[in-house]
Structure formats: C-alpha cells, structure tokens
Amino acid sequence: MQVFGSSGVRGVAGDELTPRYVLRVAQAAGDVWRDDHDRVAIARDTRTTGRTFINAATSGLTTVGFDVDRLGVVPTPGLQAYCEREAVPGVMITASHNPAAYNGVKLIGADGVELTRSTLDRVEQSLRDDTPNYADWETVGSDTAIESARRRYREQVLAAVDRDRIADADLTIVVDSGHGAGSLTSPDLFRELGCEVHTVNTQPDGHFPGRDPEPVAENLEDLRAFVRATDADLGFAHDGDADRGMFVDETGTHIEGDAALAALAAAEIESGDGVVSAVNASQRLVDVVEDAGATLSLTPIGSTYIVSRIRKLQDEGTHVAIAGEGNGGILFPDYRIARDGAFTAAKFLELVADRPASEVAADYDDYYNVRRNLEYETEEERESMLEGIEAHANEATADLDTTDGYRLDYGDGWVLARPSGTEPVVRVYAEARTLDRAEELAETMVSRATQQTNTYSGE
C-alpha cells in the first residue's frame, strides 16, 4: 500500500497522522537522502498542529544526523525555492486545501521539485523496515532558524514576471489567502508589483475562521463581495499552503479554474510544445492546445503524477510550456517545476494588464463544470460506491478512460468519478456546454454510486 498519495501524506491530526508517525517519515526520508546530503530544510503552513509536527520532523531528522534549516511558516513554493537555491532537500508540513483538522507531509528534492514516485517508494520501504540509523551524541544534528526565506521567495517571483507591465496597468486587487501561509507573502508581493492591494482572510490562523482552505467558488463569497466593494480589477485566493491560485473578475464573478488555466496556456504555448494536465482536463484546454499545434499529455490526478510526466517529456526533448489542473494548481516549468499560487496570480495579472479579467475569461466560458463529493465512512462503503460507478461505466454508451477512475466522454460532455487520494470521498466531475447537461451527467453518476451504497447498507 502506498503511504504517499498524489500529493504527500495527509490525515486527520492526532488520529490518522500523529507526531510519532511524522517523526518516522522524516527519519525514513533522511535514510534515503543521507548519501548525498547532511542538511534538510523544513517549513509549515499555519495549521494549529503545524508547530507540533514540524518539531517532530525536526527531531526525526536530527536524530539520524541531519542539520535542519527551520523556515517557519512559508508557502510550499517558498520552501521549494529555498531547496533549489541551497541545494538541500525539504520537508513541508501541510495539508494544502484539506480542512483544518488535517495535516500532512510533503517531501521536496534538492532541486526544489517534489520527489519522484521511485524515490517515494524508497522512503516507504525505509518506513516498512523501521530501522532508523540513529546518530550518536557526537553526530546528532542541530537546527537553525532561517528568517529570510519568505523575503527571498518574494524576490524570486518578482524577478520572474513582467513587473513593469503589471505596475504600469495601475491595478487594484484583493488577496484572500484563507488564513494560510500566503498571508505572510502575497500581500507584500503584489504591493511590490505596483498594485493597490486589499486583503480578506489574511490573518494567519490555523483554525481558518473566515473560510475553508480549499479555494472553490462556494468558499469565496467574501472575496467576491470585497472585489465589488473596492471596485478591484481582480481578486485571487490561495489554499492553505499557497501553491494554488483561483480568481474572481472585476464584476465579482468567479472565474472557473479551467478557464484560467486555458487563458494562461494560450499565452504560453507555441507549436510543438507539450502541455501536461490530469485526466479531468477541461475541453477548454484541449481546444487551446489543438489551436496552438501543441500536444496534451494526460496523467492521473495529483501533482506527483504531473511532475513526473513533465520530467519524462523534458528528458525526451519536449519543451513543456505549462502544466496543471483546473483547481488552481498550475506549473510553469521554465520557472520551476512546482505549483505556485502567487506566481500564477502574477502571470494572470500580466493578462489583466491588457484587458479586464472578465474579457480574459470570456474567451473560455463555453463550458460548464460541476463537482460532487461523495463522503464515506468505511472501506466497504467506498468499495460499494466504486462498484456502482464501474457498473455505470460499463453500461454507458460513451468512450471510457480508466487512467484514473472512470471517465466517460459522451461527445457533448464528459463525467469522471474517482476516489480522492487525500480525503475519504469519491469525487465526481462533469463538464458540458450547458449547465443542465453537466448537472445531469454528474447526478446520474452520483445516483449509481449512492444507489449501490444504499443497497449494500440495506436502506
């Protein structure tokens, strides 16, 4: 069984994820890294359990002989920037977009990129062996607080975008960091880009009192209202560790993540380029890639799979201009093979510098998206849902793709059902040219899944 899912290890803190387990994960990672490194960087988001788990991970690493650079509360892309600059691997304590009760561990290589599946397999093997190579009293590691990581991260983003183009547009924006790690970096970053910046939900708080960490439309009512109230040109929102960016246009209307990805892709790709996305990729992106004469490569859902595919294509000589998913997790490989919500927002501002956000998004509003989350409490319920979904997939008159779950393409729309790799839910996604059709596709899939579960439970 894989310990590391599509985006690291996650679980309910104190139940599925304990300090003792985080300590062991850190030791196992150290066992894999020790041949090439003797120093590790570590950071966290704002979750209430973050300090406890970062202390556990630090203890695990120092007890097996590593010195630890403690960056404090830093966005995941900020840790990745530090790892790349200092040529050290990293440990990020975060549960990203998951609810406040969750926490997790993500491992970063010394190149600033998430570990490959093969390296994670080695870490998992060390966990199973459960034989830490403890250092003696003379070689035990030490830990050092690093105060400059957030500032250096902002400086790197500023240097990588068209600062003059954004500043000359005299833009007003609203930043909603959702009380997460981006609270300590994004407001200052966009002021340095020359924007007038208003903020909402930017007090660092691991209880996430203003909204849940996931920056989906239903959680962004405050942002939409504040954009309208301040007559802002754009609003954008982060998840807990600020590796995602989602947008609201100048009218206070939510911009679908798939539309934002398509707009950014259209600005980046050229003929012959490669583009990487997950199996739930929108037809919007497919259209943009085809129009540009580029090639789209689809993976299972999750950043680990996308990163691995980018590297594979690069090794084969393909230039990958952009990659990512419609959830706001977008990568610009020429900058870094990492999801970076602030960098993504800055790139979107480059587009908004030329015309209103609503017009940018309007080029890609021909499709409607619906998502449903089906919660389960036991593995039996999960398996029963998947049995119903499989039966529906096999009976449907549609093209079936099983890269990750079951995707049915009907020509006028598609629906995908798959178990989440980070939460006890089965996710259902649907897209069509009308909202009614997208909802119909989603509800039919949900009905088959829940019908099977109700039959199993005797209801």
Side-chain angles (χ1 to χ4, degrees):
M1 179 179 178
Q2 289 185 344
V3 172
F4 293 90
S6 58
S7 297
V9 177
R10 293 184 199 165
V12 175
D15 181 8
E16 300 164 320
L17 193 77
T18 64
R20 178 180 180 183
Y21 189 69
V22 170
L23 182 146
R24 280 293 300 122
V25 169
Q27 289 176 327
D31 185 53
V32 171
W33 287 328
R34 73 174 59 258
D35 289 342
D36 300 306
H37 305 282
D38 58 8
R39 180 170 145 234
V40 176
I42 191 165
R44 66 181 178 92
D45 67 17
T46 58
R47 291 167 191 274
T48 59
T49 54
R51 190 181 299 276
T52 295
F53 287 133
I54 210 169
N55 288 339
T58 299
S59 295
L61 288 162
T62 56
T63 59
V64 294
F66 283 83
D67 292 331
V68 177
D69 294 351
R70 295 177 62 126
L71 277 55
V73 176
V74 176
T76 293
L79 171 64
Q80 291 177 284
Y82 185 89
C83 290
E84 181 185 43
R85 185 170 62 249
E86 298 293 322
V88 296
V91 177
M92 184 71 194
I93 304 298
T94 180
S96 187
H97 65 279
N98 288 64
Y102 284 73
N103 216 324
V105 182
K106 183 178 290 188
L107 302 179
I108 309 299
D111 56 358
V113 181
E114 292 180 40
L115 296 189
T116 62
R117 183 67 251 173
S118 61
T119 304
L120 290 175
D121 288 342
R122 292 171 58 201
V123 175
E124 291 179 2
Q125 185 59 54
S126 179
L127 269 174
R128 287 191 291 270
D129 292 343
D130 198 23
T131 54
N133 187 9
Y134 289 109
D136 60 30
W137 70 273
E138 291 183 301
T139 58
V140 69
S142 62
D143 63 286
T144 303
I146 304 296
E147 304 294 338
S148 61
R150 291 193 293 268
R151 174 180 58 80
R152 296 287 297 275
Y153 163 62
R154 294 198 313 271
E155 291 172 349
Q156 190 173 60
V157 175
L158 288 169
V161 300
D162 195 336
R163 190 172 183 175
D164 291 338
R165 181 179 175 185
I166 295 170
D168 290 346
D170 193 25
L171 299 170
T172 298
I173 66 171
V174 181
V175 177
D176 179 352
S177 56
H179 304 290
S183 301
L184 299 176
T185 52
S186 285
D188 287 341
L189 169 65
F190 287 94
R191 291 187 180 104
E192 291 173 298
L193 277 171
C195 299
E196 179 180 344
V197 177
H198 301 283
T199 61
V200 61
N201 300 322
T202 54
Q203 307 87 350
D205 190 331
H207 294 93
F208 304 107
R211 67 167 172 86
D212 286 343
E214 188 169 16
V216 292
E218 54 265 35
N219 293 336
L220 302 183
E221 293 180 5
D222 288 347
L223 177 59
R224 292 195 293 273
F226 211 169
V227 167
R228 290 189 291 267
T230 58
D231 197 26
D233 297 288
L234 186 73
F236 79 90
H238 285 310
D239 58 341
D241 64 335
D243 67 350
R244 296 189 191 184
M246 296 291 282
F247 303 102
V248 170
D249 72 20
E250 77 283 1
T251 72
T253 301
H254 177 76
I255 297 176
E256 288 287 349
D258 289 305
L261 174 57
L264 289 164
E268 294 291 321
I269 60 179
E270 298 179 357
S271 179
D273 281 347
V275 176
V276 179
S277 191
V279 68
N280 62 339
S282 169
Q283 188 64 35
R284 300 172 179 89
L285 183 61
V286 175
D287 294 343
V288 167
V289 171
E290 289 180 350
D291 289 344
T295 302
L296 180 62
S297 181
L298 298 182
T299 73
I301 292 173
S303 58
T304 299
Y305 302 109
I306 289 175
V307 166
S308 296
R309 185 65 56 82
I310 293 170
R311 284 176 144 170
K312 180 177 184 294
L313 291 172
Q314 288 178 333
D315 289 344
E316 294 171 352
T318 298
H319 174 245
V320 181
I322 193 169
E325 301 172 84
N327 60 11
I330 300 175
L331 305 87
F332 297 82
D334 290 338
Y335 167 66
R336 179 180 297 109
I337 304 178
R339 302 193 301 188
D340 189 329
F343 183 79
T344 297
K347 296 297 288 184
F348 200 81
L349 280 177
E350 291 179 4
L351 305 182
V352 176
D354 295 333
R355 57 185 181 139
S358 59
E359 292 185 13
V360 173
D363 291 340
Y364 310 99
D365 64 0
D366 292 340
Y367 297 92
Y368 292 83
N369 295 87
V370 172
R371 190 175 85 168
R372 301 283 187 266
N373 289 331
L374 308 181
E375 297 182 359
Y376 57 83
E377 295 183 358
T378 67
E379 281 302 305
E380 288 79 7
E381 288 181 29
R382 175 183 183 274
E383 290 306 311
S384 183
M385 284 184 186
L386 294 179
E387 287 175 8
I389 289 166
E390 182 180 13
H392 176 58
N394 290 332
E395 296 166 5
T397 306
D399 293 333
L400 174 62
D401 186 320
T402 57
T403 299
D404 185 0
Y406 298 88
R407 172 171 170 148
L408 297 169
D409 192 330
Y410 290 87
D412 65 336
W414 58 265
V415 60
L416 167 70
R418 60 177 289 276
S420 169
T422 58
E423 297 179 75
V425 298
V426 172
R427 302 196 192 280
V428 176
Y429 311 78
E431 180 180 78
R433 288 190 177 274
T434 68
L435 180 59
D436 286 347
R437 177 58 171 156
E439 290 179 338
E440 176 190 6
L441 291 170
E443 293 306 323
T444 300
M445 183 70 83
V446 168
S447 177
R448 287 301 301 269
T450 55
Q451 178 184 25
Q452 186 78 9
T453 303
N454 292 341
T455 299
Y456 168 82
S457 62
E459 296 182 8

